[in-house]
């Protein structure tokens, strides 16, 4: 596998699936509405159809202040409930859509919503079982990250996990040791996540029913392919930088009117689309890893020796033939001699 080629082709493959990204974006919007419904419904009931209230200029400082007081009065359950609800829906939605995403990246055919839904339902059970093995594989990753942070802390070397709140504000948290530990954590997490994605690809492409075998093969393959892991990390970092850039663009919009509010909403959906696109691109990297595995696993056809030509009687050269066998006399001369 060529990691540089995969870094370029994986995002192009992901963002070329416009219909797939549209389905994921709609699903994300539905999850966001479910998550924000416990907050939106009381707000709409109290302030009208927008935070500006009815008959007030946009935005209304009074309505915003009243809304903030409503949040404070609601306390923890008012905010924690929607957050937990949204997390559960988002996590479950990822599991449901995982099979359809992998099928689209492995299939050269055109997108079909019916086929996408069928693949999502067919792979859901296997992905649920694979999740158990993935969570089990996450334990050593967490243990290594925490253990390395504790060892560095005892050696008086700061890490991002052991810094206190005041040190984040008064000191520079990004030192050589903290960055080295952060790089270790990123590599460990990327190794775990890429193995999980590669196992999902194997479940679909090989029609593998034993998730334990798929998880173990994926771990071994990613451990043997540091260049593939590097490509996976680079695609993830590029996606993170792109999402941060669009988020900064979204934050730069000052909502002072209704059309700017719609503009901010549009830019927010672009941020989500970038995140979804690069998430699909990271899975596309593991699809390239699987294809390289499949090409190496297929043995090259053995070259059978060409059959020897059938033995034919040795042809005597024309010059030797003329010496060995004298030319026969014409029939008339043979008759004359007989008489």
């Amino acid at each position: 596998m060529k990691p540089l080629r995969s870094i370029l082709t994986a995002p192009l493959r992901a963002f070329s699936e416009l219909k797939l990204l549209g389905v994921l974006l709609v699903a994300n919007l539905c999850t966001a509405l479910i998550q924000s419904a416990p907050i939106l419904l009381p707000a709409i009931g109290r302030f009208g159809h927008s935070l500006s209230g009815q008959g007030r200029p946009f935005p209304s400082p009074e309505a915003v202040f009243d809304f903030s007081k409503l949040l404070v009065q609601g306390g923890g359950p008012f905010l924690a409930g929607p957050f937990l609800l949204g997390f559960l829906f988002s996590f479950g939605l990822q599991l449901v859509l995982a099979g359809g995403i992998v099928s689209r990246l492995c299939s050269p055919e055109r997108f079909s919503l019916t086929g996408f839904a069928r693949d999502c339902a067919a792979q859901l059970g296997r992905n649920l079982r694979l999740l158990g093995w993935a969570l089990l594989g996450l334990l050593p990753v967490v243990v290594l990250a925490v253990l390395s942070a504790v060892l560095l802390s005892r050696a008086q070397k700061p890490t991002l996990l052991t810094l206190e709140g005041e040190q984040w504000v008064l000191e520079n948290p990004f030192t050589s040791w903290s960055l080295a530990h952060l790089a270790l954590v990123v590599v460990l997490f990327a190794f775990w996540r890429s193995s999980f994605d590669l196992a999902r690809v194997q479940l679909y492409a090989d029609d593998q029913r034993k998730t334990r075998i798929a998880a173990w093969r994926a771990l071994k393959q990613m451990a043997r392919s540091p260049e593939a892991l590097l490509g996976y990390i680079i695609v993830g970092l590029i996606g993170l930088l792109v999402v941060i850039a669009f988020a900064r663009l979204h934050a730069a919009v000052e909502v002072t009117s209704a059309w700017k509010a719609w503009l901010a909403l549009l830019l927010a959906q672009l941020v989500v689309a970038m995140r979804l696109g690069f998430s699909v691109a990271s899975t596309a990297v593991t699809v390239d890893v699987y294809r390289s595995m499949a090409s190496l696993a297929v043995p090259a056809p053995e070259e059978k020796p060409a059959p020897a030509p059938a033995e034919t009687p040795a042809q005597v050269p024309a010059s030797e033939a003329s010496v060995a066998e004298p030319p026969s006399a014409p029939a008339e001369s043979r008759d004359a001699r007989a008489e």
Side-chain angles (χ1 to χ4, degrees):
M1 175 187 175
K2 298 180 180 180
L4 294 180
R5 180 181 178 183
S6 183
I7 291 170
L8 296 175
T9 58
L12 292 177
R13 176 77 174 95
F15 284 97
S16 64
E17 295 288 343
L18 297 179
K19 294 182 179 180
L20 173 62
L21 293 179
V23 171
L24 298 180
L25 189 60
V26 171
N28 184 82
L29 281 173
C30 294
T31 304
L33 289 175
I34 294 174
Q35 181 180 358
S36 59
I39 296 178
L40 286 179
L41 293 179
I44 292 174
R46 180 164 182 174
F47 303 115
H49 296 288
S50 68
L51 287 180
S52 62
Q54 296 180 355
R56 298 182 182 181
F58 187 89
S60 172
E62 296 83 1
V64 174
F65 182 71
D66 292 340
F67 183 69
S68 62
K69 287 197 303 182
L70 181 63
L71 293 179
V72 173
Q73 292 172 2
F78 188 78
L79 297 177
F83 177 78
L84 181 60
L85 184 64
F87 175 78
L88 293 177
F89 268 89
S90 179
F91 187 75
L93 188 64
Q94 290 295 324
L95 286 176
V96 172
L97 298 177
I101 294 173
V102 172
S103 67
R104 278 306 309 151
L105 295 176
C106 294
S107 176
E109 300 178 357
R110 299 179 62 182
F111 179 84
S112 171
L113 187 58
T114 304
F116 178 80
R118 182 175 60 250
D119 292 330
C120 290
Q123 297 294 319
L124 179 59
R126 300 180 189 181
N127 287 327
L128 284 173
R129 296 196 304 270
L130 181 62
L131 177 62
W133 294 107
L135 294 177
L136 184 62
L138 184 61
L139 291 179
V141 173
V142 175
V143 169
L144 287 175
V146 174
L147 181 61
S148 59
V150 171
L151 293 177
L152 288 175
S153 178
R154 289 186 176 182
Q156 303 299 323
K157 304 298 182 182
T159 64
L160 297 180
L161 297 180
T162 56
L163 288 177
E164 298 181 357
E166 297 179 355
Q167 293 176 324
W168 280 92
V169 178
L170 301 177
E171 299 178 7
N172 182 18
F174 298 102
T175 61
S176 57
W177 285 102
S178 63
L179 290 177
H181 182 260
L182 177 62
L184 175 63
V185 173
V186 169
V187 171
L188 290 174
F189 180 77
F191 174 71
W192 169 78
R193 179 62 187 271
S194 60
S195 301
F196 184 32
D197 288 345
L198 181 58
R200 289 192 301 184
V201 174
Q202 292 180 4
L203 290 179
Y204 173 79
D206 294 341
D207 196 16
Q208 179 64 257
R209 297 181 182 274
K210 296 182 178 180
T211 56
R212 174 179 56 84
I213 297 177
W216 179 242
R217 288 178 179 175
L219 284 172
K220 291 193 297 182
Q221 181 61 31
M222 293 307 300
R224 295 172 182 174
S225 306
E227 67 280 359
L229 181 61
L230 177 63
Y232 189 92
I233 293 174
I234 292 176
V235 170
L237 292 178
I238 293 174
L240 178 62
L241 294 176
V242 171
V243 170
I244 291 175
F246 275 86
R248 293 284 296 177
L249 181 62
H250 170 262
V253 178
E254 297 182 0
V255 182
T256 58
S257 59
W259 75 270
K260 285 190 176 181
W262 286 107
L263 178 61
L265 179 61
L266 176 62
L267 290 177
Q269 300 313 305
L270 287 178
V271 174
V272 176
M274 292 298 107
R275 179 181 63 82
L276 294 174
F278 278 96
S279 177
V280 175
S282 62
T283 307
V285 173
T286 58
V287 172
D288 292 340
V289 176
Y290 171 80
R291 288 172 178 169
S292 65
M293 291 170 52
S295 62
L296 293 176
V298 177
E302 298 180 359
E303 295 183 0
K304 297 181 179 180
E311 295 183 359
T312 56
Q315 296 179 356
V316 182
S319 58
E320 297 181 2
S322 60
V323 175
E325 297 180 359
S328 58
E332 297 179 356
S333 62
R334 289 199 301 268
D335 296 341
R337 292 174 183 175
E339 291 176 359

